[in-house]
Amino acid sequence: MIRFKKLYSIPKFFEPIKFESGLNIILGEKSEGNNKTNGVGKTMAIEFLNFCLLKKSSDSRVTLIPDHILDIDTVVYLDINIYTDFLTIARSIKKPDVVTIFKNGVEIISNESIEIASEYLGNLYFREFPLHITRISFRNLLNPIIRDERSEFKDIIQCFDTAKRIPSDYKPHLFFLNLNIELYSEIKKVIDELTKKTTFVTETKKLITSDYNKVSEAKARLNELEGEVSKINTSIEKLKTNESFESIQDDLVKLESRLSKLRIRQKTLKLEIKQINSLPEPENISENEITILFNQFKDGLGDMVEKSLQEVKEFKTRIDSFKNSLINNKLKMLQSELISLNTKIQRLDDEYSEKISLLDNGELLKDLKTSINIFNKKNQELNNLRSVIDRYNKAEKEKKSLKNTKDNKIIDFDDHLSDKQVEIKEFEETILYIHENIMGNRNAHFGIETINSAKAKEFLSFDFRINDDGSWSTNRMKVFIYDLALLLSDSTKKNHPKLLVHDNLFNVDNDSLEKSLNFLHKQSENHPEEFQYILTLNRDMVEIMEERNLIEFNISDYARAKFTKNDRFLKVKYSELSKRKK
């Protein structure tokens, strides 16, 4: 269990915020002469909270506050409880990458890195768990509990700034649901290795097929080369050169055949490109002519013509654009193929010239020196081709092995999910309970399933649907219901820190907001010591509900801080720096 107690700074740059168990609200209020409640510092207060909770300085907006607003010597403090231990986490503006931690008033961690501080706090939290439980880092634990506002609350798993494209992390969710994190990590590792191996196989295959149409053709050529090298080697040993001559002759015949086919294709491509380039410019019909034609049809057909002249012009423009796009794409494709073909023909031409030179102006090979030269070149070609095919064969074999491992482990995870169905159903029941209280029905579903697809980036899927989901605001309610269910469900709160922070989540319809606040109040009244929930809220969002007595409690009773345009969190208005302070 983790409880926030107080957020403050030395020197005092903002009023200390004291938190309590149950519901806590950081409120944006109207001020005299100014009805606006955004931009008063609610999110920045949460950023300071996150700053003390080891958020990376490179991700924190605290480091974007100008020095003339926040003295660089300022130290931000957060008092928290982890079980019965009273801790103070201190982080300075001047050195945001180091942390100091006091335990029951005694300095335990002194100016250490964020990683060391995270390890210490993680050990404190996990000391209540059995040793066999797989641990996650302290910050990993907090990520879905204090979601980044810029995650936009689009997805129950993704809790980071959407602009940063950080991959989804299922570990904390699996930990709360008491699912096998080790097996999940093993599968993720296998999938990563399989992805790398698949990329290697594709690149190796591309290398082989640059000279041959198929890998099987390259393997056939390998067998042929082995035979040729063997014959030349034997002939050298017997001081004969005829076999070498025949081998070169065979190569030349094959090269001529390949060059002939490629040149036919080259000629065809050039002709097609020439035909496209010689296409006449599209006939430009003036607007006046279109207008005359349109009016003629309109006069003749009367009410049957429903489209306006402007729509007809727009339709013609779209048709012309589509036609030009098709022709341009075809031309680019042909030009690209021609460039590739020219390169290949040039390479084969060079190879052909080189082999011709070995034939001593077309006459029979006359000396052993030339035979040895041919042998060396053939042998080099053989070794190169054998090397790349060996690499390809080995990688293919390893890829199949990794795929089998992945398939088997995913089956293991499916079995694990089957074993955990009671807990998962209990969690779903909590979701349905919250959904019914807020959305007015039980039209929702939660399940976990595996995906065994080569194209899927993640093998795990949390299938969570609520009534009318899909819209921007309803997705926010999905995140709210999911996070709250993790906090309250009997099957998840054993591992959950019983703490939740939502900043600027409630941009939803009035009915959902009213029912959500009343539900939170009821939970806070009935189970005051079982959780701590902190949210930011603007007064104007609930004003009308308060006037109509729809809110069943006094919002101010839960307000731990109130900010206005005239009394902001940091007392002054400022613009954030574009670059982080170093």
Side-chain angles (χ1 to χ4, degrees), residues 6 13 85-86 126 217 295 318 346 351 362 383 420:
K6 187 170 75 169
F13 271 91
D85 287 325
F86 178 75
F126 281 100
E217 285 185 14
N295 288 333
R318 285 203 296 272
Q346 181 62 50
E351 189 179 343
N383 288 333
K420 292 288 185 179

Side-chain angles (χ1 to χ4, degrees), residues 188-200:
K188 288 287 288 180
K189 186 178 178 185
V190 172
I191 289 175
D192 287 345
E193 290 176 2
L194 181 58
T195 303
K196 290 177 186 172
K197 194 61 69 181
T198 301
T199 303
F200 181 78

Side-chain angles (χ1 to χ4, degrees), residues 346-550:
Q346 181 62 50
R347 186 166 47 77
L348 290 177
D349 256 344
D350 292 343
E351 189 179 343
Y352 187 84
S353 300
E354 188 180 0
K355 288 184 185 296
I356 280 288
S357 68
L358 294 173
L359 293 182
D360 192 19
N361 295 323
E363 297 179 3
L364 289 174
L365 295 174
K366 294 176 180 175
D367 54 55
L368 181 60
K369 182 180 176 183
T370 306
S371 290
I372 292 174
N373 192 14
I374 293 172
F375 172 80
N376 287 338
K377 287 185 177 299
K378 288 274 183 185
N379 204 34
Q380 185 179 2
E381 183 184 354
L382 171 65
N383 288 333
N384 290 341
L385 186 57
R386 181 187 286 150
S387 172
V388 71
I389 288 179
D390 284 349
R391 290 204 302 272
Y392 175 79
N393 288 338
K394 184 182 177 186
E396 267 287 356
K397 187 177 177 182
E398 290 170 347
K399 179 184 161 188
K400 286 178 183 174
S401 174
L402 284 169
K403 187 170 184 316
N404 290 335
T405 304
K406 173 192 162 192
D407 293 345
N408 291 331
K409 285 188 178 295
I410 287 180
I411 290 172
D412 290 344
F413 206 95
D414 274 328
D415 293 340
H416 175 60
L417 289 177
S418 297
D419 294 340
K420 292 288 185 179
Q421 272 308 299
V422 173
E423 289 95 330
I424 293 171
K425 287 299 290 182
E426 197 282 330
F427 178 67
E428 184 187 38
E429 189 57 39
T430 305
I431 283 177
L432 296 178
Y433 169 71
I434 299 170
H435 191 275
E436 188 171 19
N437 274 273
I438 295 173
M439 311 299 278
N441 58 58
R442 290 170 64 87
N443 186 13
H445 161 72
F446 178 82
I448 305 175
E449 59 188 18
T450 59
I451 305 169
N452 194 356
S453 163
K455 293 182 180 178
K457 293 181 180 177
E458 181 58 65
F459 81 94
L460 208 55
S461 172
F462 280 25
D463 183 23
F464 180 33
R465 305 301 302 267
I466 68 171
N467 195 34
D468 291 332
D469 61 5
S471 70
W472 182 82
S473 61
T474 312
N475 282 343
R476 287 175 167 253
M477 289 308 300
K478 277 177 71 171
V479 170
F480 171 68
I481 292 172
Y482 172 80
D483 286 355
L484 205 59
L486 287 176
L487 186 72
L488 301 178
S489 170
D490 287 338
S491 64
T492 54
K493 64 184 179 185
K494 293 191 292 289
N495 290 355
H496 200 284
K498 302 176 186 63
L499 166 74
L500 188 57
V501 180
H502 279 156
D503 174 33
N504 199 24
L505 179 139
F506 282 112
N507 280 326
V508 297
D509 62 271
N510 286 343
D511 185 67
S512 297
L513 176 57
E514 170 206 324
K515 289 189 167 62
S516 298
L517 291 175
N518 286 333
F519 180 79
L520 288 168
H521 162 66
K522 190 186 297 180
Q523 295 299 316
S524 192
E525 285 289 293
N526 295 337
H527 313 282
E529 299 301 323
E530 293 185 12
F531 70 96
Q532 186 178 49
Y533 181 73
I534 300 169
L535 80 154
T536 61
L537 193 69
N538 289 337
R539 173 69 77 177
D540 50 4
M541 295 169 68
V542 294
E543 233 170 15
I544 295 177
M545 297 176 213
E546 287 178 311
E547 289 172 6
R548 295 176 181 173
N549 294 320
L550 296 174

Side-chain angles (χ1 to χ4, degrees), residues 141-154:
L141 180 79
L142 295 182
N143 284 334
I145 293 174
I146 313 177
R147 292 175 183 268
D148 194 311
E149 180 201 21
R150 286 169 287 190
S151 72
E152 300 175 29
F153 307 101
K154 289 181 175 178

